Amino acid sequence: MSLQKKGLVDRYGLMSITIFVFIGAYMISSYVRLYGDDFFYSVFTTGDFDYFISRHMDHYARANGRVIVHLLATGFLGIDSIYWVLCNAVMLAGIVYFGAKTACYTAHDEQGKVISGGLIMAVAIGYLNPHLTRQSVYWLTGSFNYVYPLFMLLIYWYFLNKTFYGRHYKWYVPLLACLSAATVEQGSLMTFGLTLLVCLDLVMMRKYKWNTWMTITLLAAAIGMLTVICSPAVLLRASIEDAPRQGFIELLKYNMKSQGFMFLFSKYMAPFHVLSLGAAWGVIITLQKKIAHKFLWFKAVVYVGGGLASLGLLIHLYAFKLLHYPTYSHLLRDFIYLGVGVGYLFTLLYGALLVYRYKWIKHYTVPIIALILAFGSQIMMLVSPVYGPRNLIFVIFMLALYGAALIPHLNSRGLTGVIGVILCLIMEVPWLLPLAVTGLVLTLWMHNHQANSYRKTGIIISYISLVLLAMALMKPTVEGYQDNAITYDENLARVDEYKNSGQKVLMQHMFKEDTYGWVMPYHNDYYEPYYKIYMDVDHNTEIEWVNGGIEK
């Protein structure tokens, strides 16, 4: 590659990836219609401004403290859906852009690593399971509850690092801290934790003096967090939610099993375990020579314990293909699961600590902080009576950030090719396996004077295999939302026909595939009154839901 072409790739590579993600997210979002809570929140927009505000005040007192999130959701519900489509695409593309900029040092000679980091963040979106995205990404209210908080967190993290570590403090950083914390419960605690960890690193490890900007920013994050977790509705909602187990201890035990299994062994998490484990082992193998001789016993523990746990996790993900919960009838199996989980967490933590200890990358705080925030976001859910795949989205993108910070520094060691091969097997996309293997072989080819050229080609092919895998996994999602959009739009036409014909029963079609869309009134009767209000039909209207969907 000529220097001129390389300069163009370095300069515009990350932005090109961001634009590509924007286009893909826009395409999928354009097929998304209103579901579930969208019908409920659309009622907020049916009156004047005073009515709009009064409904939000009542919601803050009785439902939850996510003020900004629901102001945004109801605001977009009151205007043409194309604006949300654009907004969702911008937020998803922004997660890629600011994630890569946060993970990777952006000096001129490091632009290739920023591009690699951007690709890791981009394919992470493609690897999201549709059972997760239907709850969090591809519906209007859900996107503001999950995509928006992540988007704000990564924007804040980028500017926090840029200003605090560069000692160029800016007034807008505390504002971003408050806005990022005033989103949802998981996001608020992660924002406060991020701020605290960065300040502690600066003061305790880098010997900066605690200053006014640190105090103001930490206070701003705390204020934003308290608006969410201390709202009047939090205790009220906790008291009325149907918990899967009665009593705090029983609930905690149940959640540790069910949530722990979903996090560790479900296919929702498989690609992100592979990315993060690959990054961790790449670091451990690369930095093993730096470990002092007196700690060789510890190295043995890492290789044996962490290695067996990692291998066990990968075998389980490949062999069992589980999406949901297992039964817990066998004590030995539970013990094995616990051992695999502890070994997995230990491996990731050890890799992050090595990076931090030896300052192996420029942004050496990112992996350890991402890991702390990832598992903190899950630990806080152990006391929650409600949990679902949607709650994994925060830990998923923290693990993706962990990988994006480390994998680009391990490209020449064939790590990307290894990850591609394993993912093709676990995610059951065998036709891509030859390409991933080719990338791995070329990257590690060392037997002639053209080895360096082969290595670069192999790295490119390896990343292409990861991108093609993401596109293959997203293809059913695109087609599923497109099919359901046809059904939804036909239902709207049926409503107009019903209003004009004087029919006694309103006929509506169920979705062809419920995986690609959040709940509808035929899933949950709670939404039927709000669906009727949205469709502007009488509340006594009888609706008959017909199976099958509408064909293209």
Side-chain angles (χ1 to χ4, degrees):
M1 184 184 293
S2 67
L3 291 176
Q4 185 177 9
K5 289 183 179 178
K6 186 178 185 302
L8 288 173
V9 171
D10 288 347
R11 181 176 297 181
Y12 300 112
L14 179 59
M15 185 54 66
S16 298
I17 295 167
T18 304
I19 293 172
F20 180 80
V21 171
F22 172 84
I23 293 171
Y26 179 89
M27 179 174 64
I28 298 178
S29 299
S30 67
Y31 297 130
V32 173
R33 301 298 185 259
L34 301 190
Y35 319 111
D37 287 349
D38 292 339
F39 300 124
F40 167 75
Y41 287 113
S42 66
V43 174
F44 288 32
T45 66
T46 57
D48 57 16
F49 183 72
D50 288 340
Y51 176 77
F52 180 82
I53 296 299
S54 67
R55 287 301 301 259
H56 275 285
M57 292 175 65
D58 181 69
H59 189 267
Y60 184 73
R62 297 173 180 270
N64 61 55
R66 305 171 188 179
V67 178
I68 295 177
V69 162
H70 290 116
L71 282 171
L72 287 169
T74 51
F76 275 86
L77 283 167
I79 57 180
D80 193 284
S81 62
I82 188 63
Y83 296 107
W84 171 78
V85 173
L86 286 167
C87 181
N88 201 42
V90 167
M91 291 191 295
L92 288 167
I95 287 172
V96 171
Y97 182 83
F98 287 103
K101 299 278 271 186
T102 299
C104 305
Y105 185 51
T106 54
H108 179 70
D109 59 345
E110 296 282 341
Q111 287 301 310
K113 293 183 175 61
V114 177
I115 294 170
S116 296
L119 285 170
I120 298 297
M121 295 299 295
V123 298
I125 294 176
Y127 295 159
L128 291 173
N129 189 283
H131 290 278
L132 185 151
T133 56
R134 70 185 288 260
Q135 297 184 5
S136 58
V137 178
Y138 300 126
W139 66 296
L140 191 150
T141 302
S143 74
F144 284 114
N145 277 271
Y146 295 95
V147 179
Y148 169 72
L150 272 168
F151 175 60
M152 290 301 302
L153 177 66
L154 290 173
I155 291 177
Y156 170 58
W157 196 340
Y158 169 69
F159 284 107
L160 180 69
N161 279 358
K162 184 177 181 180
T163 56
F164 273 45
Y165 286 111
R167 300 195 186 194
H168 300 297
Y169 304 106
K170 300 295 183 180
W171 63 268
Y172 53 78
V173 174
L175 177 61
L176 287 172
C178 186
L179 291 174
S180 178
T183 51
V184 298
E185 292 81 0
Q186 284 178 292
S188 64
L189 289 169
M190 291 171 74
T191 299
F192 182 79
L194 168 64
T195 310
L196 181 61
L197 289 169
V198 168
C199 289
L200 290 176
D201 175 65
L202 288 169
V203 174
M204 298 178 67
M205 306 305 295
R206 308 194 188 206
K207 306 305 178 185
Y208 286 29
K209 288 185 177 180
W210 189 278
N211 58 51
T212 305
W213 282 107
M214 294 180 187
T215 302
I216 293 172
T217 306
L218 193 61
L219 183 62
I223 292 171
M225 176 181 67
L226 292 174
T227 65
V228 177
I229 66 174
C230 290
S231 74
V234 170
L235 292 177
L236 175 63
R237 185 173 182 180
S239 67
I240 62 176
E241 289 282 6
D242 292 327
R245 293 291 186 275
Q246 296 301 314
F248 178 77
I249 299 300
E250 290 301 314
L251 177 64
L252 189 63
K253 287 165 59 179
Y254 175 84
N255 282 347
M256 288 179 67
K257 285 187 175 184
S258 61
Q259 294 179 20
F261 192 89
M262 182 183 285
F263 166 71
L264 279 171
F265 300 114
S266 71
K267 285 292 282 286
Y268 307 134
M269 294 299 302
F272 312 101
H273 290 328
V274 175
L275 287 173
S276 55
L277 275 176
W281 278 111
V283 168
I284 292 169
I285 293 170
T286 300
L287 298 181
Q288 62 174 326
K289 293 182 180 179
K290 292 181 177 289
I291 301 172
H293 183 72
K294 64 180 179 179
F295 292 115
L296 288 180
W297 65 269
F298 188 74
K299 184 192 295 188
V301 171
V302 171
Y303 275 86
V304 175
L308 287 175
S310 301
L311 184 62
L313 177 59
L314 295 179
I315 290 174
H316 196 289
L317 292 172
Y318 173 73
F320 292 96
K321 324 294 184 191
L322 291 174
L323 274 175
H324 299 292
Y325 309 110
T327 57
Y328 294 97
S329 57
H330 201 292
L331 183 61
L332 177 60
R333 184 178 60 181
D334 290 353
F335 182 76
I336 293 172
Y337 286 161
L338 178 62
V340 169
V342 171
Y344 164 77
L345 300 180
F346 176 75
T347 301
L348 297 191
L349 180 61
Y350 184 61
L353 287 173
L354 285 178
V355 172
Y356 189 81
R357 167 66 178 83
Y358 296 107
K359 299 178 176 59
W360 188 60
I361 60 176
K362 181 69 176 178
H363 289 176
Y364 59 86
T365 61
V366 170
I368 186 65
I369 292 178
L371 204 59
I372 293 171
L373 297 183
F375 297 116
S377 73
Q378 295 307 291
I379 290 172
M380 66 171 288
M381 296 304 298
L382 291 177
V383 298
S384 173
V386 180
Y387 188 84
R390 61 189 176 274
N391 297 112
L392 294 170
I393 195 166
F394 290 95
V395 69
I396 280 173
F397 278 98
M398 290 301 101
L399 292 180
L401 193 68
Y402 181 97
L406 299 177
I407 292 172
H409 298 269
L410 299 160
N411 284 338
S412 62
R413 294 179 174 268
L415 177 61
T416 317
V418 172
I419 290 173
V421 170
I422 295 173
L423 284 178
C424 286
L425 292 172
I426 290 178
M427 304 310 292
E428 303 178 23
V429 189
W431 61 267
L432 255 179
L433 195 56
L435 185 67
V437 171
T438 300
L440 176 60
V441 171
L442 289 176
T443 304
L444 299 178
W445 191 267
M446 300 291 289
H447 296 294
N448 59 37
H449 65 281
Q450 293 183 318
N452 191 51
S453 175
Y454 286 175
R455 184 182 300 114
K456 291 179 180 178
T457 303
I459 292 170
I460 293 171
I461 291 175
S462 296
Y463 275 103
I464 289 174
S465 70
L466 294 182
V467 172
L468 290 178
L469 177 62
M471 295 174 70
L473 294 175
M474 287 189 72
K475 183 173 181 289
T477 297
V478 176
E479 294 173 345
Y481 278 98
Q482 185 178 25
D483 288 343
N484 286 346
I486 294 171
T487 300
Y488 191 100
D489 294 343
E490 176 63 23
N491 282 341
L492 294 180
R494 292 288 179 92
V495 171
D496 290 337
E497 182 182 324
Y498 167 82
K499 291 177 182 178
N500 295 326
S501 66
Q503 299 172 0
K504 294 183 177 181
V505 178
L506 172 59
M507 301 290 293
Q508 297 282 269
H509 283 271
M510 297 180 183
F511 286 154
K512 184 178 180 180
E513 178 53 69
D514 285 330
T515 302
Y516 306 104
W518 191 220
V519 296
M520 291 291 287
Y522 62 85
H523 297 118
N524 189 337
D525 291 340
Y526 169 81
Y527 295 110
E528 184 167 306
Y530 303 110
Y531 184 76
K532 292 176 180 178
I533 293 173
Y534 175 72
M535 293 297 180
D536 194 25
V537 297
D538 188 83
H539 69 280
N540 291 319
T541 299
E542 181 183 350
I543 300 178
E544 182 177 341
W545 293 94
V546 182
N547 285 316
I550 303 295
E551 297 296 332
K552 294 181 182 178

